[in-house]
Amino acid sequence: MNDGITPTTLILEASLPVQLVLITLLLLSIISWVMIFQRWLVLSAAAKGVLSFEHRFWSGMDLSQLYKEGSQMQKEDIPVVGMENIFRSGFKEFMRLRQQASVDKEAIMEGAQRAMRVAYSREEEKLEKHLPFLATVASVSVYIGLFGTVIGIMNSFIGLASQAQVTLQVIAPDIAEALIATAMGLFVAIPAVVVYNRYTASVDNITSSYITFTDEFSSILHRQVHSD
Amino acid sequence: MKDSINNVIIYNGYPLSVVAAVTFHSLLLALLLYLQSNRNTDALELIQPTVVKALLVQENPQVTNERKRVERQQQQQRDRQQEEARRAAEAERQQQAQAQARAEEDRQQRERAALRERQQQDRLNAEQLLREQQQREAEQRRQRELAAAQRLQESRDRELQRQQEAADAAAAAAEVASSEFEMIQSGTALIQQLVQENWSRPPSARNGMQAIIQIRMLPTGELIDATITQSSGDPAFDRSAENAVYRAAPFTELQNLPINVFNANFRSLSLIFEPEDLLN
């Protein structure tokens, strides 16, 4: 007597194409989960960074003091990121242009804004890194699983063709083997879809707060330029 | 500073993520294996099928012959028992008759003694009378005994004859049965084989199912009709059995059978379908 079929034996005794599909899906799953965890760390850190920097920025601290703190951090090999990076590049450009007497006020504002825009797009790029990969995994892994299933069912029918009497016992193992591929595909795709949607939303949140900050900061700079 | 930690994470999050992802997958795999090992006891039994063998059981001519023979034997035995009972009753009756005779004799002797005592003087003339009477009685007794013996003899003869007849009949029947038996056996084997070849059992068939199909045939082996006399409870199974019979027909080899054998055994036949070697 056979002692039944378990998922493990199914996987181990599956035909080569199905096994290849399963291995591909497993790799995709591991990679996508690496991305999921890594993005989670990055995005939660960025969200926290937004809050803490806004708190510091609006605490009434002198802006050049804030800038010096950031420089200090950079000297200690701590990378400065997120909103603070936007502030630093805008402020640096503003100060540099302001020291040049020939530059007029509008040019100063324009330079600072351009520097902030560049920093903003760099930050956004950092946040959105790997998200397209997750999107690809989310949509493709289902098809890969389906491919494995189709191959498996095809094999099962080829096997059936040589059978005089068809019973459930003949079809069942092959169908089960085939279905494992679909199950695996879904297992990979579902977290990827959920996480992709969630992370896209939080990236949108963070970037919109960056934009808001950029506008606020440029209005402060504008005030300073025209008050002289 | 809290920010510095956050910043470190942002740039060095990969090792941590890889560890987390691999751990996550290992945990899932371990969980799967654990569930599987727990479930092993009642795991689905998916088994490579063996060739299905249709079991075909007739309302077997061989069996019916056997039954007839047994019935005949029982009948004979019953007859014999009745005979014995009758004989016993007769013997009893004889004994009773003898006892009566004896009692009468005693009485007569007593009477004679009384007569002798009381009628000593009449004895001479009465003796004649008495002797005559005795003679008559003896005659009667003898006649009675003779009749009883004759009856006994007759009944014995009759019984012997009947036994002889029964034995003859049994021998003849056995002889006929043995020659018939082979024909019937080959015919049933043929039908069984044909039906079996044409029976494609449905997936819903289970061990213990039994469908009985009664088929009626012409002497040419053509099938007149097949009716389900006992359903297995599974319509698909019944249908498959019915289809198998229709597909197997006609059983042209039955033409070779003598018509009386055919009529007795194959005109109407019950086929029992049961999948006997399924594993579930």
Side-chain angles (χ1 to χ4, degrees), chain A residues 1-9 26 29-30 33-34 37-39 41-42 45-46 48-49 52 56 69 73 78-81 126 129-130 163 165-170 172-173 187, chain B residues 1-4 6-11 13-14 16-18 20-22 24-25 28 32-33 36 39-40 43-52 199-201 203 206 279-280:
Chain A
M1 284 284 278
N2 255 335
D3 40 30
I5 283 186
T6 56
T8 346
T9 56
L26 184 69
S29 175
I30 290 176
W33 275 92
V34 168
F37 282 119
Q38 199 266 340
R39 280 298 96 185
L41 293 173
V42 168
K48 266 186 217 155
S52 70
R56 276 198 293 155
E69 264 180 22
M73 272 163 68
I78 300 168
V80 175
V81 293
K126 273 186 210 161
K129 203 175 164 192
H130 300 320
Q163 213 94 32
Q165 279 210 321
V166 178
T167 59
L168 198 58
Q169 278 88 346
V170 184
F187 170 77
Chain B
M1 215 171 170
K2 212 165 82 183
D3 282 341
S4 63
N6 286 340
N7 294 344
V8 168
I9 286 172
I10 288 172
Y11 283 94
Y14 287 104
L16 184 61
S17 307
V18 170
V22 171
F24 173 70
H25 281 85
L28 274 181
L32 186 77
L33 288 175
Q36 186 185 309
R39 217 185 42 175
N40 259 351
L44 274 170
E45 280 179 3
L46 297 173
I47 293 144
Q48 286 300 324
T50 50
V51 176
V52 172
W199 188 25
S200 71
R201 207 195 33 167
R206 292 286 175 276
L279 294 156
N280 54 356

Coordinates of all heavy atoms in Angstrom, one line a residue, chain A residues 1-9 26 29-30 33-34 37-39 41-42 45-46 48-49 52 56 69 73 78-81 126 129-130 163 165-170 172-173 187, chain B residues 1-4 6-11 13-14 16-18 20-22 24-25 28 32-33 36 39-40 43-52 199-201 203 206 279-280:
Chain A
M1 N 0.8 -1.2 0.0 CA 0.0 0.0 0.0 C 0.9 1.3 0.0 O 1.9 1.3 0.7 CB -0.9 0.0 1.2 CG -2.1 -0.9 1.2 SD -3.3 -0.3 0.1 CE -4.2 0.8 1.2
N2 N 0.4 2.2 -0.8 CA 1.1 3.5 -0.7 C 0.7 4.2 0.6 O -0.5 4.0 1.0 CB 0.6 4.3 -1.9 CG 1.6 4.5 -3.0 OD1 2.8 4.3 -2.7 ND2 1.2 4.7 -4.2
D3 N 1.6 5.0 1.1 CA 1.1 5.7 2.3 C 0.7 7.1 1.9 O 1.2 8.1 2.5 CB 2.1 5.6 3.5 CG 3.5 5.8 3.0 OD1 3.7 6.5 2.0 OD2 4.4 5.3 3.6
G4 N -0.1 7.2 0.8 CA -0.7 8.5 0.5 C 0.3 9.5 -0.1 O 1.5 9.2 -0.2
I5 N -0.2 10.6 -0.5 CA 0.6 11.6 -1.2 C 0.6 12.8 -0.3 O -0.4 13.2 0.2 CB 0.1 11.9 -2.6 CG1 0.5 10.8 -3.5 CG2 0.6 13.2 -3.1 CD1 0.2 11.0 -4.9
T6 N 1.8 13.3 -0.1 CA 1.9 14.6 0.7 C 2.5 15.6 -0.2 O 3.0 15.3 -1.3 CB 2.8 14.3 1.9 OG1 4.1 13.9 1.4 CG2 2.3 13.3 2.8
P7 N 2.3 16.9 0.1 CA 2.8 17.9 -0.7 C 4.3 17.8 -1.0 O 4.8 18.0 -2.1 CB 2.6 19.2 0.1 CG 1.3 18.9 0.9 CD 1.4 17.4 1.2
T8 N 5.0 17.3 0.0 CA 6.5 17.1 -0.2 C 6.8 16.1 -1.3 O 7.5 16.3 -2.2 CB 7.2 16.7 1.1 OG1 6.3 16.8 2.2 CG2 8.4 17.4 1.3
T9 N 6.1 14.9 -1.2 CA 6.4 13.9 -2.2 C 5.9 14.4 -3.5 O 6.6 14.1 -4.5 CB 5.7 12.6 -1.8 OG1 4.3 12.9 -1.7 CG2 6.2 12.0 -0.6
L26 N 9.9 29.8 -6.0 CA 10.5 29.9 -4.7 C 11.5 31.1 -4.6 O 11.6 31.9 -3.7 CB 11.2 28.6 -4.3 CG 11.7 28.5 -2.9 CD1 10.6 28.5 -1.9 CD2 12.6 27.3 -2.7
S29 N 9.8 34.3 -4.7 CA 9.2 34.6 -3.4 C 10.2 35.1 -2.4 O 10.0 36.1 -1.7 CB 8.6 33.3 -2.9 OG 8.1 33.5 -1.6
I30 N 11.4 34.4 -2.3 CA 12.4 34.9 -1.4 C 12.9 36.3 -1.7 O 12.9 37.2 -0.9 CB 13.6 33.9 -1.4 CG1 13.2 32.6 -0.8 CG2 14.8 34.5 -0.7 CD1 14.3 31.5 -0.8
W33 N 10.3 38.8 -0.9 CA 10.2 39.1 0.6 C 11.4 39.9 1.1 O 11.2 40.6 2.0 CB 10.0 37.7 1.3 CG 8.6 37.3 1.4 CD1 8.0 36.5 0.5 CD2 7.6 37.8 2.3 NE1 6.6 36.4 0.8 CE2 6.4 37.2 1.9 CE3 7.6 38.6 3.4 CZ2 5.2 37.4 2.6 CZ3 6.4 38.8 4.1 CH2 5.2 38.2 3.7
V34 N 12.6 39.7 0.5 CA 13.7 40.5 0.8 C 13.3 42.0 0.6 O 13.5 42.9 1.4 CB 15.0 40.1 0.0 CG1 16.0 41.2 0.2 CG2 15.5 38.8 0.5
F37 N 10.7 43.3 3.1 CA 11.3 43.7 4.4 C 12.1 44.9 4.3 O 12.1 45.9 5.1 CB 12.1 42.6 5.0 CG 11.3 41.5 5.6 CD1 11.4 40.2 5.1 CD2 10.5 41.8 6.7 CE1 10.6 39.2 5.7 CE2 9.7 40.8 7.2 CZ 9.8 39.5 6.8
Q38 N 13.0 45.0 3.2 CA 13.9 46.1 3.0 C 13.1 47.4 2.8 O 13.4 48.4 3.5 CB 14.8 45.8 1.9 CG 16.1 46.6 1.8 CD 15.9 47.9 1.0 OE1 15.0 47.9 0.1 NE2 16.8 48.8 1.2
R39 N 12.1 47.3 2.0 CA 11.2 48.5 1.7 C 10.5 49.0 3.0 O 10.3 50.1 3.3 CB 10.2 48.3 0.7 CG 10.7 48.3 -0.8 CD 11.2 49.7 -1.1 NE 12.6 49.7 -1.0 CZ 13.3 50.8 -1.1 NH1 12.8 52.0 -1.4 NH2 14.6 50.8 -1.0
L41 N 11.6 48.6 6.1 CA 12.5 49.4 6.9 C 12.7 50.8 6.4 O 12.6 51.8 7.1 CB 13.9 48.6 6.9 CG 13.9 47.3 7.7 CD1 15.2 46.6 7.5 CD2 13.6 47.5 9.1
V42 N 12.9 50.9 5.0 CA 13.2 52.2 4.4 C 12.0 53.1 4.6 O 12.2 54.3 5.0 CB 13.5 52.0 2.9 CG1 13.5 53.3 2.2 CG2 14.9 51.3 2.8
A45 N 11.3 54.1 8.2 CA 12.4 55.1 8.6 C 12.1 56.5 8.0 O 12.2 57.5 8.7 CB 13.7 54.6 8.2
A46 N 11.7 56.5 6.7 CA 11.5 57.7 6.0 C 10.3 58.5 6.6 O 10.3 59.7 6.8 CB 11.2 57.5 4.5
K48 N 9.2 58.2 9.7 CA 9.6 58.7 11.0 C 10.5 59.9 10.8 O 10.4 60.9 11.5 CB 10.4 57.6 11.7 CG 9.5 56.8 12.7 CD 10.4 55.8 13.5 CE 9.7 54.5 13.7 NZ 10.7 53.4 13.9
G49 N 11.4 59.8 9.8 CA 12.3 60.9 9.5 C 11.6 62.2 9.2 O 11.9 63.3 9.6
S52 N 10.2 63.6 12.5 CA 11.2 64.2 13.4 C 11.9 65.4 12.8 O 12.1 66.4 13.5 CB 12.3 63.1 13.7 OG 13.1 62.9 12.6
R56 N 11.9 69.3 14.3 CA 13.1 70.1 14.5 C 13.0 71.4 13.7 O 13.4 72.5 14.2 CB 14.3 69.3 14.1 CG 14.8 68.4 15.2 CD 16.2 68.0 14.9 NE 16.4 67.1 13.7 CZ 17.5 67.1 13.0 NH1 18.6 67.7 13.3 NH2 17.5 66.3 11.9
E69 N 24.2 71.2 12.0 CA 24.0 69.9 12.7 C 24.1 68.8 11.6 O 24.7 67.7 11.8 CB 22.6 69.8 13.3 CG 22.6 70.1 14.8 CD 21.2 70.1 15.4 OE1 20.3 69.4 14.8 OE2 20.9 70.7 16.4
M73 N 26.7 65.6 11.3 CA 26.3 64.2 11.1 C 27.0 63.6 9.9 O 27.5 62.5 9.9 CB 24.8 64.1 10.8 CG 24.0 64.0 12.1 SD 22.2 64.3 11.8 CE 21.7 62.9 10.8
I78 N 27.4 59.6 9.1 CA 26.0 59.2 9.1 C 25.3 59.9 7.9 O 25.3 61.1 7.8 CB 25.3 59.6 10.4 CG1 26.0 59.0 11.6 CG2 23.8 59.3 10.4 CD1 25.6 59.6 12.9
P79 N 24.8 59.1 7.0 CA 24.2 59.7 5.8 C 22.9 60.5 6.2 O 22.1 60.1 7.0 CB 23.8 58.6 4.9 CG 23.8 57.4 5.8 CD 24.7 57.7 6.9
V80 N 22.8 61.7 5.5 CA 21.6 62.5 5.7 C 20.7 62.3 4.6 O 21.0 62.3 3.4 CB 22.1 64.0 5.8 CG1 20.8 64.9 5.9 CG2 23.0 64.2 6.9
V81 N 19.4 62.0 4.9 CA 18.5 61.6 3.9 C 17.1 62.3 4.1 O 16.9 63.0 5.1 CB 18.2 60.1 3.9 CG1 19.5 59.3 3.5 CG2 17.7 59.6 5.3
K126 N 14.9 57.1 -4.4 CA 15.3 56.1 -3.4 C 14.1 55.4 -2.8 O 14.1 54.2 -2.5 CB 16.0 56.9 -2.2 CG 17.5 57.1 -2.5 CD 18.1 57.8 -1.2 CE 19.3 58.6 -1.6 NZ 19.5 59.6 -0.5
K129 N 12.5 52.8 -5.1 CA 13.4 51.7 -5.6 C 12.7 50.3 -5.2 O 12.1 50.2 -4.2 CB 14.7 51.8 -4.9 CG 15.9 51.2 -5.6 CD 17.1 51.5 -4.8 CE 18.3 50.6 -5.2 NZ 19.3 50.8 -4.2
H130 N 12.8 49.3 -6.1 CA 12.3 48.0 -5.9 C 10.8 47.8 -6.0 O 10.3 46.7 -6.1 CB 12.7 47.4 -4.5 CG 14.2 47.3 -4.4 ND1 15.1 47.0 -5.4 CD2 15.0 47.6 -3.3 CE1 16.3 47.0 -4.9 NE2 16.3 47.4 -3.6
Q163 N -3.9 4.9 -20.9 CA -4.6 4.1 -19.9 C -5.9 3.6 -20.5 O -6.7 4.3 -21.1 CB -4.9 5.0 -18.7 CG -4.9 4.3 -17.4 CD -3.5 4.4 -16.8 OE1 -2.8 5.3 -16.9 NE2 -3.1 3.3 -16.0
Q165 N -8.4 2.1 -18.6 CA -9.5 2.5 -17.7 C -9.0 3.7 -16.9 O -8.0 3.7 -16.3 CB -9.8 1.3 -16.7 CG -10.7 0.3 -17.4 CD -11.6 -0.4 -16.4 OE1 -11.1 -0.7 -15.3 NE2 -12.8 -0.6 -16.7
V166 N -9.8 4.7 -17.0 CA -9.5 5.9 -16.3 C -10.2 6.0 -15.0 O -11.4 6.0 -14.9 CB -9.9 7.1 -17.2 CG1 -9.5 8.4 -16.4 CG2 -9.2 7.1 -18.5
T167 N -9.4 6.1 -13.9 CA -10.0 6.3 -12.6 C -9.5 7.5 -12.0 O -8.5 8.1 -12.5 CB -9.7 5.1 -11.7 OG1 -8.3 5.0 -11.6 CG2 -10.3 3.8 -12.3
L168 N -10.1 7.9 -10.9 CA -9.6 9.1 -10.2 C -8.2 8.9 -9.7 O -7.4 9.9 -9.7 CB -10.5 9.3 -9.0 CG -10.5 10.7 -8.4 CD1 -10.9 11.7 -9.5 CD2 -11.5 10.8 -7.3
Q169 N -7.8 7.7 -9.4 CA -6.5 7.5 -8.9 C -5.4 7.7 -9.9 O -4.3 8.0 -9.6 CB -6.4 6.0 -8.4 CG -6.9 5.8 -7.0 CD -8.4 5.5 -7.0 OE1 -9.0 5.7 -8.0 NE2 -8.9 5.1 -5.9
V170 N -5.8 7.6 -11.2 CA -4.8 7.8 -12.2 C -4.6 9.3 -12.4 O -3.4 9.8 -12.5 CB -5.3 7.3 -13.6 CG1 -4.2 7.4 -14.6 CG2 -5.6 5.8 -13.4
A172 N -5.5 11.9 -10.3 CA -5.4 12.7 -9.1 C -3.9 13.2 -8.8 O -3.7 14.3 -8.6 CB -6.0 12.0 -7.9
P173 N -2.9 12.2 -8.8 CA -1.6 12.7 -8.4 C -1.1 13.8 -9.4 O -0.5 14.8 -9.0 CB -0.8 11.4 -8.5 CG -1.7 10.3 -8.4 CD -3.0 10.8 -9.1
F187 N 0.8 32.0 -3.9 CA 1.5 32.3 -2.6 C 2.5 33.4 -2.8 O 2.7 34.3 -1.9 CB 2.2 31.0 -2.1 CG 3.1 31.2 -1.0 CD1 2.6 31.4 0.3 CD2 4.5 31.3 -1.2 CE1 3.5 31.6 1.3 CE2 5.3 31.4 -0.2 CZ 4.9 31.6 1.1
Chain B
M1 N 21.3 59.1 18.6 CA 20.2 59.8 18.0 C 19.3 58.9 17.2 O 19.8 58.0 16.5 CB 20.8 60.9 17.1 CG 20.0 62.2 17.1 SD 20.9 63.4 16.2 CE 19.7 64.7 16.1
K2 N 18.1 59.2 17.3 CA 17.1 58.3 16.6 C 17.2 58.3 15.1 O 17.2 57.3 14.4 CB 15.7 58.7 17.0 CG 14.8 57.4 17.1 CD 13.5 57.8 17.8 CE 12.5 58.5 16.9 NZ 11.3 58.9 17.6
D3 N 17.5 59.5 14.6 CA 17.6 59.7 13.2 C 18.7 58.9 12.6 O 18.6 58.3 11.5 CB 17.8 61.2 12.8 CG 16.5 61.9 12.9 OD1 15.4 61.2 12.9 OD2 16.5 63.1 13.1
S4 N 19.8 58.9 13.4 CA 21.0 58.2 12.9 C 20.7 56.7 12.7 O 21.1 56.1 11.7 CB 22.2 58.5 13.8 OG 21.9 57.9 15.1
N6 N 17.8 55.4 12.1 CA 16.9 55.3 11.0 C 17.8 55.4 9.7 O 17.6 54.6 8.8 CB 15.9 56.4 10.9 CG 14.8 56.2 12.0 OD1 14.7 55.1 12.4 ND2 14.2 57.3 12.4
N7 N 18.7 56.3 9.7 CA 19.5 56.5 8.5 C 20.3 55.2 8.2 O 20.5 54.8 7.0 CB 20.4 57.7 8.6 CG 19.6 59.0 8.7 OD1 18.4 58.9 8.3 ND2 20.2 60.0 9.2
V8 N 20.9 54.6 9.2 CA 21.7 53.4 9.0 C 20.8 52.4 8.4 O 21.2 51.7 7.5 CB 22.2 52.9 10.4 CG1 22.8 51.6 10.3 CG2 23.3 53.9 10.9
I9 N 19.6 52.3 8.9 CA 18.7 51.2 8.4 C 18.4 51.4 7.0 O 18.4 50.5 6.1 CB 17.4 51.2 9.3 CG1 17.7 50.6 10.6 CG2 16.3 50.4 8.6 CD1 16.5 50.7 11.6
I10 N 18.2 52.7 6.6 CA 17.8 53.0 5.2 C 18.9 52.5 4.3 O 18.7 51.9 3.2 CB 17.6 54.5 5.0 CG1 16.3 54.8 5.7 CG2 17.6 54.8 3.6 CD1 16.0 56.3 5.7
Y11 N 20.2 52.7 4.7 CA 21.3 52.3 3.8 C 21.8 50.9 4.0 O 22.4 50.3 3.1 CB 22.4 53.3 3.8 CG 22.0 54.5 3.1 CD1 21.5 55.6 3.7 CD2 22.2 54.6 1.7 CE1 21.1 56.7 3.0 CE2 21.8 55.7 1.0 CZ 21.2 56.8 1.7 OH 20.8 57.8 1.0
G13 N 19.8 48.2 5.1 CA 18.6 47.3 5.4 C 18.7 46.0 4.7 O 18.0 45.1 5.1
Y14 N 19.6 45.8 3.7 CA 19.5 44.6 2.9 C 19.9 43.3 3.7 O 19.1 42.3 3.6 CB 20.4 44.7 1.7 CG 19.8 45.6 0.7 CD1 20.3 46.9 0.5 CD2 18.7 45.2 -0.1 CE1 19.7 47.8 -0.4 CE2 18.1 46.0 -1.0 CZ 18.6 47.3 -1.2 OH 18.0 48.1 -2.1
L16 N 19.6 42.6 6.8 CA 18.5 42.3 7.7 C 17.4 41.7 7.0 O 16.7 40.7 7.4 CB 18.2 43.6 8.4 CG 17.1 43.5 9.5 CD1 17.5 42.5 10.6 CD2 16.7 44.8 10.1
S17 N 17.0 42.3 5.8 CA 15.9 41.9 5.0 C 16.1 40.5 4.5 O 15.2 39.7 4.5 CB 15.7 42.8 3.8 OG 15.6 44.1 4.3
V18 N 17.3 40.2 4.0 CA 17.6 38.9 3.5 C 17.4 37.8 4.6 O 16.7 36.8 4.4 CB 19.0 38.8 2.9 CG1 19.4 37.3 2.6 CG2 19.1 39.6 1.7
A20 N 15.6 38.1 7.3 CA 14.2 38.0 7.6 C 13.4 37.2 6.6 O 12.6 36.3 6.9 CB 13.6 39.4 7.7
A21 N 13.7 37.5 5.3 CA 12.9 36.7 4.2 C 13.3 35.2 4.3 O 12.3 34.4 4.2 CB 13.3 37.3 2.9
V22 N 14.5 34.9 4.4 CA 14.9 33.5 4.5 C 14.3 32.8 5.7 O 13.7 31.7 5.6 CB 16.4 33.3 4.4 CG1 16.8 31.9 4.7 CG2 17.0 33.8 3.1
F24 N 11.6 33.7 7.2 CA 10.2 33.6 7.0 C 9.9 32.3 6.1 O 9.0 31.5 6.5 CB 9.7 34.8 6.2 CG 8.3 34.8 5.8 CD1 7.2 34.8 6.7 CD2 8.0 34.7 4.4 CE1 5.9 34.8 6.2 CE2 6.7 34.7 4.0 CZ 5.7 34.7 4.9
H25 N 10.6 32.1 5.1 CA 10.4 31.0 4.2 C 10.7 29.7 4.9 O 10.0 28.7 4.8 CB 11.2 31.1 2.9 CG 10.6 32.0 2.0 ND1 10.8 33.4 2.0 CD2 9.7 31.8 1.0 CE1 10.0 33.9 1.0 NE2 9.4 33.0 0.4
L28 N 7.8 28.9 7.2 CA 6.7 28.4 6.4 C 6.9 26.9 6.0 O 6.0 26.1 6.2 CB 6.5 29.2 5.2 CG 5.6 30.5 5.3 CD1 5.5 31.2 4.0 CD2 4.3 30.1 5.8
L32 N 4.7 23.7 7.1 CA 4.1 22.8 6.1 C 4.5 21.4 6.5 O 3.7 20.5 6.5 CB 4.7 23.2 4.7 CG 4.0 22.4 3.6 CD1 2.7 23.0 3.3 CD2 4.9 22.5 2.4
L33 N 5.8 21.1 6.7 CA 6.2 19.8 7.0 C 5.6 19.3 8.3 O 5.2 18.1 8.4 CB 7.8 19.8 7.2 CG 8.5 19.9 5.9 CD1 10.0 20.0 6.1 CD2 8.2 18.7 5.0
Q36 N 2.1 18.4 7.7 CA 2.0 17.2 6.9 C 2.3 15.9 7.7 O 1.6 14.9 7.6 CB 3.1 17.3 5.8 CG 3.1 16.3 4.8 CD 4.3 16.5 3.9 OE1 4.5 17.6 3.4 NE2 5.1 15.5 3.7
R39 N -0.6 15.1 9.6 CA -1.8 14.6 8.8 C -1.5 13.2 8.2 O -2.4 12.6 7.6 CB -2.0 15.6 7.7 CG -3.5 15.8 7.4 CD -3.6 16.7 6.2 NE -2.7 16.3 5.2 CZ -2.6 16.9 4.1 NH1 -3.5 17.8 3.7 NH2 -1.7 16.6 3.2
N40 N -0.3 12.7 8.4 CA 0.1 11.5 7.7 C -0.9 10.3 8.0 O -1.1 9.5 7.2 CB 1.5 11.1 8.1 CG 2.5 11.4 7.0 OD1 2.0 11.8 5.9 ND2 3.7 11.3 7.3
A43 N -3.9 10.5 5.8 CA -3.6 11.0 4.5 C -4.5 10.4 3.5 O -4.9 9.2 3.6 CB -2.2 10.7 4.2
L44 N -4.8 11.1 2.5 CA -5.6 10.6 1.4 C -4.9 9.4 0.8 O -3.7 9.5 0.6 CB -5.8 11.7 0.3 CG -6.9 12.6 0.5 CD1 -6.8 13.7 -0.5 CD2 -8.2 11.9 0.3
E45 N -5.6 8.4 0.5 CA -5.0 7.3 -0.1 C -5.1 7.4 -1.6 O -6.2 7.0 -2.2 CB -5.5 6.0 0.4 CG -5.0 5.6 1.7 CD -5.5 4.3 2.3 OE1 -6.3 3.7 1.5 OE2 -5.2 4.0 3.4
L46 N -4.1 7.9 -2.3 CA -4.2 8.0 -3.7 C -3.3 6.9 -4.3 O -2.1 6.9 -4.0 CB -3.7 9.4 -4.2 CG -4.6 10.5 -3.7 CD1 -4.0 11.8 -4.1 CD2 -6.0 10.4 -4.3
I47 N -3.8 6.0 -5.0 CA -3.1 4.8 -5.3 C -3.1 4.6 -6.8 O -4.1 4.8 -7.4 CB -3.7 3.6 -4.5 CG1 -3.5 3.8 -3.0 CG2 -3.1 2.3 -5.0 CD1 -4.6 3.4 -2.2
Q48 N -2.0 4.1 -7.3 CA -2.0 3.7 -8.7 C -3.0 2.6 -8.8 O -3.0 1.6 -8.1 CB -0.6 3.2 -9.1 CG 0.4 4.4 -9.2 CD 0.0 5.3 -10.3 OE1 -0.6 5.0 -11.3 NE2 0.2 6.6 -10.1
P49 N -3.9 2.7 -9.8 CA -5.0 1.7 -9.8 C -4.5 0.4 -10.4 O -3.6 0.4 -11.2 CB -6.0 2.3 -10.8 CG -5.1 3.2 -11.6 CD -4.0 3.7 -10.8
T50 N -5.1 -0.7 -9.9 CA -4.8 -1.9 -10.5 C -5.8 -2.2 -11.6 O -6.8 -1.4 -11.7 CB -4.9 -3.0 -9.4 OG1 -6.1 -2.9 -8.8 CG2 -3.7 -2.9 -8.5
V51 N -5.7 -3.2 -12.3 CA -6.7 -3.4 -13.4 C -8.0 -3.9 -12.7 O -8.0 -4.7 -11.8 CB -6.2 -4.6 -14.3 CG1 -7.3 -4.9 -15.3 CG2 -4.9 -4.1 -15.0
V52 N -9.0 -3.3 -13.1 CA -10.3 -3.6 -12.5 C -10.8 -4.9 -13.0 O -10.8 -5.1 -14.2 CB -11.3 -2.4 -12.8 CG1 -12.6 -2.8 -12.3 CG2 -10.8 -1.2 -12.1
W199 N -16.9 -3.7 -19.8 CA -17.4 -2.9 -18.6 C -16.3 -1.9 -18.3 O -15.2 -2.2 -17.9 CB -17.6 -3.9 -17.4 CG -18.2 -3.2 -16.3 CD1 -19.0 -2.0 -16.3 CD2 -18.1 -3.5 -14.9 NE1 -19.4 -1.7 -15.1 CE2 -18.9 -2.6 -14.2 CE3 -17.5 -4.6 -14.2 CZ2 -19.0 -2.7 -12.8 CZ3 -17.7 -4.6 -12.9 CH2 -18.4 -3.7 -12.2
S200 N -16.7 -0.6 -18.5 CA -15.8 0.4 -18.0 C -16.4 1.0 -16.8 O -17.5 1.6 -16.8 CB -15.6 1.5 -19.1 OG -16.7 2.3 -19.2
R201 N -15.7 0.8 -15.7 CA -16.3 1.1 -14.4 C -16.2 2.6 -14.1 O -15.2 3.2 -14.4 CB -15.4 0.4 -13.4 CG -16.1 0.0 -12.1 CD -15.0 -0.3 -11.2 NE -13.9 0.5 -11.6 CZ -12.9 0.7 -10.9 NH1 -12.7 0.1 -9.8 NH2 -11.9 1.6 -11.3
P203 N -15.8 6.2 -12.1 CA -14.9 6.5 -11.0 C -15.6 6.5 -9.6 O -15.0 6.4 -8.6 CB -14.5 8.0 -11.3 CG -15.2 8.4 -12.5 CD -16.0 7.3 -13.0
R206 N -17.3 1.8 -5.9 CA -16.7 1.5 -4.6 C -16.8 0.1 -4.3 O -17.7 -0.6 -4.8 CB -17.3 2.3 -3.5 CG -17.1 3.8 -3.5 CD -15.6 4.2 -3.2 NE -15.4 5.6 -3.4 CZ -15.0 6.1 -4.6 NH1 -14.9 5.4 -5.6 NH2 -14.8 7.4 -4.6
L279 N -9.5 -0.3 -4.2 CA -8.9 -0.1 -2.9 C -9.6 0.8 -2.0 O -9.1 1.0 -0.9 CB -7.4 0.3 -3.2 CG -6.7 -0.8 -3.9 CD1 -5.5 -0.3 -4.7 CD2 -6.2 -1.9 -3.0
N280 N -10.6 1.4 -2.5 CA -11.3 2.2 -1.5 C -12.8 2.1 -1.8 O -13.2 1.5 -2.8 CB -10.9 3.7 -1.6 CG -11.0 4.2 -3.0 OD1 -11.3 3.5 -3.9 ND2 -10.8 5.5 -3.2

